[in-house]
Amino acid sequence: MATINGKDIKKLVVACDAGMGSSVMLASTLRKQLGKSGVTVEHTPVNSIPADADLVVCHSGLAARARSVAPSKPIVPFQIFLGDPAVTKIVKAIQQGSDINV
């Protein structure tokens, strides 16, 4: 398990499989929540995770693929698209500059 500090996250990527509307909605929600934090939130297919991503968020069913595509990136899997505790923890860590275990 690795640790990343929320203040070190400048680019967060929501990775999905087929451009499902729910992952786009999660990215939009995160943009609103993190807008004042200076964090860029992007939505991308899991096979196209950009090299400059600081943190990748994806559904738990895609986590293994995300890790194979971007093995050096911290990956945070979640179960539900809205209100998942893993995503809430990320938002708080970024806003408060605290550590996240990934």
Side-chain angles (χ1 to χ4, degrees):
M1 183 172 283
T3 301
I4 185 169
N5 190 285
K7 68 182 177 196
D8 296 329
I9 298 171
K10 302 299 178 208
K11 185 172 187 174
L12 185 153
V13 172
V14 178
C16 72
D17 193 19
M20 299 181 291
S22 45
S23 59
V24 172
M25 189 169 55
L26 174 60
S28 176
T29 299
L30 286 171
R31 275 186 207 103
K32 290 177 187 170
Q33 292 176 331
L34 299 173
K36 293 180 181 177
S37 303
V39 175
T40 300
V41 177
E42 290 186 2
H43 176 261
T44 185
V46 71
N47 291 332
S48 302
I49 295 171
D52 61 347
D54 296 312
L55 184 69
V56 178
V57 178
C58 67
H59 190 270
S60 59
L62 297 173
R65 273 179 55 197
R67 287 185 179 103
S68 70
V69 170
S72 64
K73 301 296 176 191
I75 310 285
V76 177
F78 61 87
Q79 295 290 322
I80 53 177
F81 285 92
L82 294 176
D84 192 286
V87 176
T88 302
K89 192 180 294 185
I90 292 168
V91 171
K92 284 185 180 180
I94 291 171
Q95 291 173 336
Q96 298 172 356
S98 57
D99 288 340
I100 308 168
N101 294 320
V102 293

